Amino acid sequence: MARTKLYLDTRAVKDGKPAPLKVAINKKSKTALISLNVFLLPNQWDKKAGKVVNHPNRLFLNNYIAKRHIDIDTLLLKLIESGEIANMSALDIKNHIIYQLSPEREEDGKERLFTHRFLKFAETKKESTRIVYMNTYKRMHQFCADLDKLTFEDITREWLTAYDTYLSETSPSRNARNVHFRNIRAVFNEAIDDGVTKAYPFRRFKIRPVATMKRSFSVEQLRELFNAPTDEHTEKALDIFRLIFLLIGINIIDLCKLRTINNGRVEFYRSKTNRLYSIKVEPEAMEIINKYKGTEHLIDILDQHKNHRSYTGILNKTLKEVGTLANDKNSKPVFPQLTTYWARHSWATIAASLEIPKETIAAALGHGGNTVTDIYIDFDRKKVDEANRRVIDWVLYGKL
């Protein structure tokens, strides 16, 4: 294990000249020296007490030396706690500490601060992903007031475990908390790739997902939902859910941004993957689109709501009320846990029940690989179009 001590280096100093005071770092019988830029005559240094004596500025010098020695020991302790020191020589330790203490490295030093890298990393993401990262940043700050002062080496397994305990007080879902830890891990991975740190607490802190509740309907349940009674409050919500299903589980953000129909298709770059996506608009979907035509967009959602996020919250809340009529106190919602996710998952489940190939289902949901030729794209679209028509015919009309 490494240790330090103060050392007046008189080896190359002639008689009568002051010698440099240094901190000696010893590891495995090897020594590396860090100069403190303090020069003393031999009779001005008490080796046993480790203090300056017989010097007109001894009080100032002793305070300065003690602080500098503590700074070096603190950095050494961090290396020990992180386990990073195991593969470092005495010279490696010296160079690391000098880099940390150098006043010229203030800007470079920010790179070793976890939140500095975290915020830079978040800025490279698209808006929706950046919002998720900033939520993680907010929760970390609530947990740790000194977050902005922490280096990567300070984010240990123990720190992550304590943070997880804190999150569990307001977020009992394991998978919801895992989102925060995946964000933290992604920043660590980038920092390691860039040579900023060797610390990696996720070797021992594992992110383990928990199986989630099934969020798909059988064809019988979907028919029951589509025929559920509605009133003025819930009619549009159920229509939008139907439209999402008819457009193969299109994401709300993409549905909100649609502007035109070209050659019977809606074509867009999917927000989540930035891949070009094309869906044939079947007559049943067109009927709903015509019912809720927008001024600038295909659907009037953004005519009435600030953005897709605010609408998604309202839509999911309203969907939970479908089947409950305002004038009937005894009526109950059809599926009280209903959200828009069920449309996408149900489409995939029903397509699989019709023995539609997995590759076609993946392509329909936008999970396939990037297409590279127009021939492949046309083939892909044709298969997806046929699959969607089969799903619609089976759900709405019982036709196989």
Side-chain angles (χ1 to χ4, degrees):
M1 191 60 66
R3 58 188 178 84
T4 67
K5 67 176 182 179
L6 294 168
Y7 169 66
L8 187 65
D9 189 1
T10 59
R11 294 172 299 174
V13 177
K14 295 181 180 180
D15 292 340
K17 299 289 184 181
L21 184 66
K22 299 178 180 180
V23 172
I25 299 172
N26 300 302
K27 185 186 179 187
K28 294 183 177 179
S29 303
K30 300 292 183 181
T31 300
L33 300 171
I34 297 177
S35 176
L36 296 179
N37 292 316
V38 173
F39 296 86
L40 302 169
L41 295 171
N43 67 349
Q44 293 174 329
W45 179 246
D46 185 334
K47 180 180 178 181
K48 185 175 181 180
K51 288 185 177 182
V52 177
V53 294
N54 303 321
H55 193 288
N57 294 324
R58 64 183 181 280
L59 292 178
F60 169 81
L61 289 174
N62 280 326
N63 286 333
Y64 168 78
I65 292 165
K67 182 181 183 305
R68 206 64 167 169
H69 196 184
I70 289 172
D71 289 342
I72 292 171
D73 280 346
T74 299
L75 291 170
L76 182 63
L77 182 60
K78 286 183 178 181
L79 289 175
I80 294 171
E81 289 178 341
S82 69
E84 205 173 340
I85 201 168
N87 299 317
M88 298 176 74
S89 66
L91 183 58
D92 290 333
I93 297 170
K94 167 191 171 179
N95 291 336
H96 171 84
I97 290 175
I98 289 175
Y99 175 78
Q100 292 293 319
L101 295 177
S102 172
E104 291 80 19
R105 58 166 287 279
E106 181 178 354
E107 186 61 33
D108 289 341
K110 290 180 180 178
E111 293 297 313
R112 294 187 65 85
L113 294 176
F114 174 73
T115 55
H116 177 76
R117 296 281 304 196
F118 188 97
L119 294 174
K120 281 180 63 176
F121 187 80
E123 282 300 314
T124 66
K125 303 299 179 181
K126 60 185 179 181
E127 181 185 4
S128 58
T129 305
R130 186 166 63 251
I131 290 170
V132 175
Y133 271 82
M134 293 310 295
N135 184 46
T136 297
Y137 177 74
K138 177 182 176 182
R139 296 306 305 275
M140 286 192 296
H141 242 303
Q142 291 170 344
F143 165 67
C144 179
D146 292 331
L147 181 69
D148 293 341
K149 299 178 182 179
L150 301 186
T151 65
F152 282 91
E153 290 73 22
D154 294 321
I155 309 295
T156 62
R157 182 185 68 165
E158 291 72 23
W159 192 96
L160 293 173
T161 301
Y163 179 48
D164 186 39
T165 302
Y166 167 79
L167 290 175
S168 66
E169 295 175 0
T170 55
S171 181
S173 168
R174 172 78 267 172
N175 289 340
R177 301 200 303 274
N178 282 348
V179 171
H180 298 299
F181 293 110
R182 284 196 294 269
N183 291 343
I184 295 170
R185 184 176 63 186
V187 176
F188 262 92
N189 288 336
E190 186 200 45
I192 289 171
D193 289 344
D194 290 347
V196 172
T197 185
K198 294 180 181 179
Y200 192 66
F202 293 95
R203 290 188 184 94
R204 294 188 295 163
F205 183 90
K206 302 300 181 183
I207 303 175
R208 294 185 173 90
V210 176
T212 57
M213 180 185 70
K214 179 182 176 184
R215 292 187 292 183
S216 61
F217 294 126
S218 66
V219 66
E220 293 79 14
Q221 289 173 318
L222 204 53
R223 288 169 183 163
E224 180 185 358
L225 173 63
F226 284 173
N227 293 312
T230 58
D231 55 17
E232 292 181 1
H233 178 60
T234 56
E235 179 182 2
K236 184 175 182 179
L238 186 54
D239 281 341
I240 295 299
F241 183 91
R242 289 192 189 100
L243 182 58
I244 292 171
F245 180 83
L246 295 168
L247 294 179
I248 318 179
I250 187 173
N251 289 37
I252 280 289
I253 183 173
D254 297 321
L255 179 64
C256 289
K257 291 182 177 181
L258 293 178
R259 291 183 179 272
T260 59
I261 296 175
N262 297 316
N263 299 319
R265 313 183 71 87
V266 288
E267 296 183 332
F268 57 95
Y269 285 93
R270 191 174 175 218
S271 296
K272 187 172 183 179
T273 61
N274 203 35
R275 287 187 58 217
L276 181 62
Y277 201 40
S278 177
I279 305 172
K280 182 181 179 182
V281 181
E282 298 292 344
E284 295 84 354
M286 183 60 74
E287 182 179 347
I288 298 174
I289 291 171
N290 288 334
K291 185 176 179 179
Y292 301 105
K293 260 197 175 307
T295 53
E296 295 184 9
H297 296 84
L298 199 60
I299 302 293
D300 64 0
I301 293 171
L302 295 183
D303 293 345
Q304 303 168 10
H305 300 272
K306 183 179 179 181
N307 53 50
H308 77 278
R309 288 187 295 277
S310 63
Y311 176 68
T312 300
I314 294 170
L315 174 60
N316 283 331
K317 182 179 179 181
T318 308
L319 283 173
K320 291 176 173 57
E321 302 172 14
V322 169
T324 304
L325 297 181
N327 59 358
D328 184 355
K329 295 182 180 180
N330 296 320
S331 61
K332 295 182 179 180
V334 178
F335 297 101
Q337 302 303 317
L338 181 62
T339 67
T340 56
Y341 285 111
W342 289 73
R344 183 175 178 84
H345 292 200
S346 297
W347 190 97
T349 298
I350 293 170
S353 74
L354 295 174
E355 298 185 353
I356 292 170
K358 290 182 180 180
E359 294 79 6
T360 302
I361 295 174
L365 297 175
H367 293 166
N370 290 322
T371 56
V372 293
T373 67
D374 290 338
I375 294 174
Y376 182 80
I377 291 172
D378 289 341
F379 169 80
D380 214 22
R381 287 176 179 173
K382 182 180 178 181
K383 293 292 185 182
V384 170
D385 293 346
E386 291 173 351
N388 194 32
R389 189 66 252 177
R390 284 184 63 192
V391 169
I392 293 172
D393 284 343
W394 174 230
V395 172
L396 300 186
Y397 312 114
K399 293 168 55 179
L400 289 171

